[in-house]
Amino acid sequence: MAAPAAIAATVVLAVCAALAGWGLVRRLGIGGDGRRFPPVLLAVLLAAWGSAASLAAVPLVVLCAGAWAAFALAFCLASGRAAHGLFAANLVFSCFAVSVLLVFSAASILVGGMPWQVVEDDSLRPAVLAAGLALFCGAALAFRGLLDRFPLDAEGGRSYAALFWFGWFSLAYILFDALPSLFRLDVPLLSEFLGASMLLLGVSVAAFVVATSLLGRDAHVEEEYLALMERRERQEARLGQLRDQASRDALTGLRTVEDLLEHGRPFAVAYLDMNGLKAVNDTFGHEAGDACLVRLADALRSSFPGRAALCRMSGDEFLVVLPEGDEREVGRHAGEALEVLAAQPVEGVGAVSFSFGTAASGCEGESAAALVARADRAMYQSKRAYHGRVSGGAR
């Protein structure tokens, strides 16, 4: 009969193994929050399993099956998803079974017997079982450190799918390899073969984790690269449209103003100049400057009503013509565009801003060029005020 002290040690180590397994699953990101199935219940399951295994001469394959059932039940209830629970159970069980079977095979080699003889030895079985549980605790900590270095994509992706099927493969391999322990076979080198195969499986699991982690990481980088290239192509197409329009917009803007003057319709204009474009180009590159111009154009389109005409006069200067509007209205919409830009900074650059001046029709005999020049002069006054604020330390 097994000694009470040995049984108590096995139960304590089973509780430690449950906590180590739970921590490993939490590191995988699929262990749930502990409210569905508190980890203490997993500890109770493994403690009961360790106590029964210490008292009864249960075949190794049955011991492994019981441990897997405890892990699977706990993790499926904890995660709320059968696929995640089985994935976690298979991975943790692989570490668990490899540790326990490796210790049993080593003990059988030391005593010069077979694994089934160690299982049937009431005095030896609890000590070997306790050693296997202790080895599993160490393996779980090592596996967790491996996952810290090579994190897995537990929510989906190639690494998760590969490890999911590898977990089932490991389960089948362990059960098949432990099958001889069901019978009283005195096969030469049986213990050595079992120990070597379990050690090989442990190394394979670690290598597979690293390989699938790198595979998932490379796939993630590739997806990010493709997304970045797609976004860059869209941006270049948008910039191409802006560049094509740039040569025509200045003339279009003047013609729009001339047409409104000719028909006697009231209107107002806003002449805008982006602040700090040269500094952005010099510091971050012309692509960043182009991105700022695109953001500025988008903000103007979203802030001014649909009847307004937006024309790019030069590299960083824009003219907005607002029919049926006055200086107060056009200035208000320009202020709204500034608020939009402040709330949507360009990545890597920061918030975009601009200086602007306004002018409205109504001066007798004023030409289109003179009206636009009047707004341009007002813009330069705003630009000087902006530079004064920057040099004073407030942007």
Side-chain angles (χ1 to χ4, degrees), residues 21-346:
W22 187 269
L24 179 58
V25 172
R26 290 298 300 273
R27 182 59 189 82
L28 287 169
I30 55 178
D33 55 11
R35 291 193 294 267
R36 288 178 177 269
F37 194 86
V40 66
L41 297 182
L42 176 60
V44 171
L45 282 177
L46 279 189
W49 173 90
S51 177
S54 298
L55 293 172
V58 182
L60 285 174
V61 68
V62 178
L63 287 178
C64 291
W68 178 86
F71 284 128
L73 175 63
F75 297 149
C76 284
L77 291 176
S79 65
R81 298 175 62 180
H84 281 180
L86 292 177
F87 168 63
N90 290 345
L91 279 185
V92 176
F93 169 77
S94 295
C95 293
F96 181 86
V98 166
S99 301
V100 172
L101 294 178
L102 190 60
V103 171
F104 267 93
S105 63
S108 63
I109 293 173
L110 290 177
V111 300
M114 294 291 109
W116 59 265
Q117 292 175 320
V118 176
V119 172
E120 293 183 351
D121 190 330
D122 290 339
S123 60
L124 186 59
R125 181 179 63 253
V128 174
L129 187 61
L133 291 170
L135 180 60
F136 167 71
C137 292
L141 293 176
F143 198 4
R144 184 172 181 177
L146 187 66
L147 291 174
D148 288 333
R149 186 173 180 182
F150 300 96
L152 299 174
D153 180 13
E155 294 300 324
R158 299 181 185 180
S159 58
Y160 172 78
L163 275 176
F164 182 83
W165 291 109
F166 184 74
W168 285 110
F169 166 79
S170 300
L171 178 62
Y173 178 88
I174 290 170
L175 293 178
F176 179 80
D177 201 60
L179 193 62
S181 66
L182 284 173
F183 311 100
R184 296 171 175 271
L185 299 178
D186 290 329
V187 180
L189 303 180
L190 177 62
S191 300
E192 291 82 352
F193 178 80
L194 180 62
S197 61
M198 289 298 104
L199 186 60
L200 177 63
L201 180 61
V203 174
S204 299
V205 170
F208 198 79
V209 168
V210 174
T212 51
S213 172
L214 295 177
L215 175 64
R217 187 183 304 172
D218 291 343
H220 176 71
V221 171
E222 182 180 357
E223 291 173 359
E224 288 290 326
Y225 173 76
L226 293 176
L228 180 62
M229 291 300 296
E230 183 179 356
R231 187 174 66 180
R232 181 176 178 179
E233 290 176 359
R234 291 197 303 266
Q235 186 181 65
E236 289 179 348
R238 185 73 175 277
L239 289 173
Q241 295 176 355
L242 290 177
R243 291 191 182 100
D244 290 340
Q245 295 173 0
S247 60
R248 304 190 300 269
D249 274 0
L251 184 58
T252 301
L254 289 175
R255 285 179 177 174
T256 301
V257 173
E258 289 174 351
D259 184 65
L260 291 171
L261 287 173
E262 182 179 350
H263 289 83
R265 295 176 57 191
F267 67 94
V269 301
Y271 203 97
L272 310 101
D273 180 87
M274 177 181 161
N275 295 323
L277 178 60
K278 184 179 184 303
V280 171
N281 287 334
D282 293 342
T283 305
F284 304 102
H286 287 276
E287 288 187 1
D290 290 341
C292 292
L293 288 173
V294 172
R295 184 64 57 83
L296 172 57
D298 289 341
L300 293 175
R301 289 192 183 93
S302 64
S303 300
F304 280 85
R307 68 179 190 276
L310 172 63
C311 306
R312 187 178 180 186
M313 303 301 288
S314 65
D316 57 353
E317 295 181 354
F318 294 83
L319 177 68
V320 183
V321 183
L322 183 63
E324 309 299 334
D326 55 23
E327 288 192 67
R328 185 174 184 179
E329 183 181 2
V330 77
R332 176 170 57 83
H333 289 303
E336 292 174 0
L338 284 172
E339 294 177 358
V340 171
L341 290 172
Q344 299 177 356
V346 177

